[in-house]
Amino acid sequence: MEAFSSKDMAMKAQKKLLSQMANKSVVQMFIDDTSSEILDELYRVSKEYSGNKTEAQKVIKDLIKIAVKVGVLFRHNRFTPEELTIAQNFKKKLHQGAMTAISFYEVDFTFEKTVMSEILTSCRDMLLKLVDKHLTPKSHGRINHVFNHYSDTELLTQLYNPDGSFRPHLTNICNGLNKLLEEGKL
């Protein structure tokens, strides 16, 4: 007889439904205002950098889908103890990335594109390892898309240019990251 679990079916339906509804109103249900503001700034950076509104929207939509799906998996206790260790390491690396991003912003001429790129690449690899057995190859592609986009050293160089057009976006991103760190959310 085929094994059936209503809990598994509900989780799959939830992941599918939420991934199809990755828009601003759904984001506000699952993501706090500060995180939403950071996502808006990341969208603006992507749009200005790529010159492509559709691509910028796709990157942010992929980011939201990933966050929601990982949240659903976590809420349904789907991670093994080993995977929870990976999740903790991911959270620490994300925290380190936020601290590094803020430090590079606050202290002029300290920005090193390879450092930020390596932190983001390391986060990508940990996240892929965390969700390896839980998400589809399409979701893995979304993870790669988001992290490869934001770890692009040319994008990072433009973002951290003290005289560049992205400076107001970086200011808002770092202010948001600072707030999340102070609130213990990151």
Side-chain angles (χ1 to χ4, degrees):
M1 185 172 154
E2 185 179 330
F4 176 80
S5 168
S6 59
K7 189 175 180 180
D8 287 345
M9 189 64 108
M11 185 190 65
K12 286 178 185 176
Q14 208 174 21
K15 284 186 344 191
K16 183 74 172 171
L17 181 65
L18 292 174
S19 72
Q20 291 177 347
M21 298 173 19
N23 61 37
K24 191 159 185 142
S25 61
V26 172
V27 169
Q28 290 174 339
M29 285 184 354
F30 293 98
I31 299 176
D32 62 60
D33 290 341
T34 304
S35 298
S36 183
E37 290 166 10
I38 292 171
L39 288 173
D40 289 346
E41 290 300 331
L42 288 172
Y43 164 75
R44 290 179 190 108
V45 167
S46 295
K47 183 180 169 192
E48 284 182 39
Y49 177 71
S50 69
N52 185 333
K53 178 181 175 183
T54 305
E55 174 61 19
Q57 289 173 338
K58 184 167 175 27
V59 170
I60 296 302
K61 196 170 189 175
D62 284 352
L63 178 55
I64 293 165
K65 285 180 178 185
I66 294 162
V68 168
K69 286 182 179 188
V70 171
V72 168
L73 289 169
F74 188 76
R75 201 176 92 207
H76 285 275
N77 298 314
R78 293 298 183 197
F79 296 123
T80 66
E82 294 81 20
E83 289 168 336
L84 288 173
T85 301
I86 295 168
Q88 279 301 108
N89 291 337
F90 174 76
K91 188 176 178 184
K92 287 177 189 172
K93 185 58 84 169
L94 211 53
H95 181 87
Q96 176 195 359
M99 296 290 287
T100 303
I102 293 165
S103 175
F104 284 159
Y105 164 72
E106 290 178 344
V107 183
D108 287 338
F109 308 109
T110 58
F111 171 68
E112 291 183 43
K113 61 185 175 187
T114 55
V115 172
M116 277 307 302
S117 183
E118 287 170 4
I119 289 172
L120 290 169
T121 300
S122 178
C123 284
R124 178 201 65 201
D125 294 344
M126 278 189 255
L127 187 56
L128 285 169
K129 190 173 179 183
L130 174 66
V131 301
D132 184 48
K133 296 179 178 99
H134 303 283
L135 299 180
T136 65
K138 188 173 183 178
S139 292
H140 294 183
R142 287 186 179 113
I143 292 168
N144 281 316
H145 181 231
V146 169
F147 282 94
N148 292 347
H149 178 76
Y150 288 111
S151 65
D152 177 353
T153 55
E154 184 55 39
L155 181 148
L156 291 169
T157 300
Q158 287 186 33
L159 182 62
Y160 278 92
N161 179 347
D163 303 318
S165 63
F166 292 11
R167 193 66 176 185
H169 303 307
L170 181 61
T171 299
N172 293 334
I173 290 167
C174 289
N175 288 342
L177 291 174
N178 257 326
K179 187 173 179 184
L180 292 176
L181 288 168
E182 288 170 6
E183 294 171 354
K185 294 180 180 177
L186 187 64

